[in-house]
Amino acid sequence: MTEENAPAADERMVVAENVHKSFGRLEVLRGIDLEVRRGEVMCVVGPSGSGKSTFLRCVNHLEKINAGRLWVNGELMGYRQKGAKLYELRESEVAAQRREIGMVFQRFNLFPHMSVVGNVMEAPVQVRRTPRAEAKATALELLDRVGLADKAESYPGQLSGGQQQRVAIARALAMSPSLMLFDEPTSALDPELVGEVLDVMKDLARDGMTMVVVTHEMGFAREVGDSLVFMDGGVVVESGEPREVLTNPQHERTKAFLSKVF
């Protein structure tokens, strides 16, 4: 696929074409092909070491792919193509692309010395040069949206893990992204705190946010996901409608994996 016939931004938010990624001799992604349509919630599941998180980091060019192409919102991520050749973008250009992509990690990575509202407003002020008063007003709205308006002046160390992860979601939303990536956002949480984070993600899905969610929460995938991708060994083994894949998997590797998680 050349730049001239790259996917239209109004159809598909993410297009991965034969994506490969290696770390030294370890080939982690071995030819990933998938599409995420605008407004879709794609859940990615699979065993540890299958390449799920690496793929997510490639989507926003936190990891540079070794072969293939990745488009987000109609733009080739990390590169400019002229003819058959790719030219790597400058870091400032990559940073501009990343502004359209929110990412929530397993760990919350909040600034411990900043208040909750300070964490949420930091990127708009520093990156987008949003006036502080405007950024704070937006941050307070987002904290209200994730159910933490009363914690605005608290510090991360005063919050539970679930609350910190909800702040991390609000922080990602503060940049008004067109795509949200979630890398196992509940895996570091105590079981009783998982639900409050999933509830926020469900609200985002209902509002039409395009989301790619690496998760082990099969109930969330079944209830909220529009599509489900099962990865193993650096490839997409099976994909489809979540309920269909989860209740009637076609591939033996999918069946073996699901037999261990249900």
Side-chain angles (χ1 to χ4, degrees), residues 98-128 135 138-146 148 156 163-177 179-182 200 204 209:
R98 287 201 192 111
R99 291 175 198 167
E100 305 303 317
I101 305 171
M103 187 159 185
V104 178
F105 299 88
Q106 296 178 41
R107 296 292 175 179
F108 326 121
N109 300 326
L110 300 176
F111 297 117
H113 63 288
M114 287 186 180
S115 66
V116 164
V117 71
N119 268 275
V120 177
M121 61 188 284
E122 178 70 2
V125 169
Q126 297 299 328
V127 178
R128 293 196 184 275
T138 300
L140 291 173
E141 289 176 8
L142 289 169
L143 288 172
D144 184 54
R145 182 175 181 178
V146 301
L148 291 172
Q163 290 171 329
Q164 290 187 61
Q165 191 62 296
R166 284 188 279 155
V167 174
I169 294 172
R171 179 180 59 182
L173 292 173
M175 291 292 284
S176 301
L179 170 68
M180 286 285 287
L181 308 176
F182 292 87
V200 171
L204 290 178
M209 175 63 76

Side-chain angles (χ1 to χ4, degrees), residues 30-70:
R30 299 189 292 125
I32 301 293
D33 294 289
L34 57 78
E35 298 178 358
V36 184
R37 295 195 170 271
R38 187 175 296 277
E40 178 180 347
V41 178
M42 174 179 283
C43 294
V44 184
V45 303
S48 296
S50 60
K52 308 182 303 295
S53 294
T54 297
F55 174 71
L56 211 63
R57 292 173 63 84
C58 288
V59 170
N60 64 358
H61 206 63
L62 286 176
E63 298 291 353
K64 299 177 183 179
I65 62 177
N66 299 114
R69 303 284 191 277
L70 261 169

Side-chain angles (χ1 to χ4, degrees), residues 29-261:
L29 300 178
R30 299 189 292 125
I32 301 293
D33 294 289
L34 57 78
E35 298 178 358
V36 184
R37 295 195 170 271
R38 187 175 296 277
E40 178 180 347
V41 178
M42 174 179 283
C43 294
V44 184
V45 303
S48 296
S50 60
K52 308 182 303 295
S53 294
T54 297
F55 174 71
L56 211 63
R57 292 173 63 84
C58 288
V59 170
N60 64 358
H61 206 63
L62 286 176
E63 298 291 353
K64 299 177 183 179
I65 62 177
N66 299 114
R69 303 284 191 277
L70 261 169
W71 287 267
V72 175
N73 213 11
E75 287 192 16
L76 191 62
M77 279 301 297
Y79 299 93
R80 180 181 294 106
Q81 184 165 335
K82 290 186 179 179
K85 295 193 70 174
L86 289 181
Y87 299 88
E88 191 163 355
L89 297 179
R90 295 190 298 271
E91 184 56 38
S92 61
E93 294 173 304
V94 175
Q97 289 184 320
R98 287 201 192 111
R99 291 175 198 167
E100 305 303 317
I101 305 171
M103 187 159 185
V104 178
F105 299 88
Q106 296 178 41
R107 296 292 175 179
F108 326 121
N109 300 326
L110 300 176
F111 297 117
H113 63 288
M114 287 186 180
S115 66
V116 164
V117 71
N119 268 275
V120 177
M121 61 188 284
E122 178 70 2
V125 169
Q126 297 299 328
V127 178
R128 293 196 184 275
R129 304 302 181 196
T130 304
R132 293 190 67 84
E134 179 184 336
K136 184 171 184 177
T138 300
L140 291 173
E141 289 176 8
L142 289 169
L143 288 172
D144 184 54
R145 182 175 181 178
V146 301
L148 291 172
D150 61 327
K151 301 293 185 182
E153 300 303 329
S154 299
Y155 285 81
Q158 298 172 303
L159 305 183
S160 69
Q163 290 171 329
Q164 290 187 61
Q165 191 62 296
R166 284 188 279 155
V167 174
I169 294 172
R171 179 180 59 182
L173 292 173
M175 291 292 284
S176 301
S178 53
L179 170 68
M180 286 285 287
L181 308 176
F182 292 87
D183 187 7
E184 299 200 31
T186 60
S187 65
L189 301 179
D190 292 333
E192 66 269 22
L193 302 177
V194 168
E196 62 189 56
V197 174
L198 293 181
D199 284 344
V200 171
M201 295 170 64
K202 290 174 187 176
D203 285 340
L204 290 178
R206 281 192 287 268
D207 288 345
M209 175 63 76
T210 310
M211 298 159 60
V212 182
V213 184
V214 171
T215 185
H216 57 271
E217 299 290 343
M218 298 301 164
F220 175 85
R222 183 191 294 109
E223 179 185 350
V224 182
D226 297 301
S227 60
L228 184 139
V229 169
F230 171 66
M231 285 181 62
D232 193 18
V235 299
V236 174
V237 176
E238 188 167 345
S239 62
E241 196 276 328
R243 285 185 176 83
E244 181 64 24
V245 175
L246 293 174
T247 59
N248 188 30
Q250 300 300 301
H251 198 286
E252 290 303 319
R253 277 198 281 175
T254 316
K255 293 176 183 177
F257 172 76
L258 292 175
S259 71
K260 296 174 183 176
V261 298

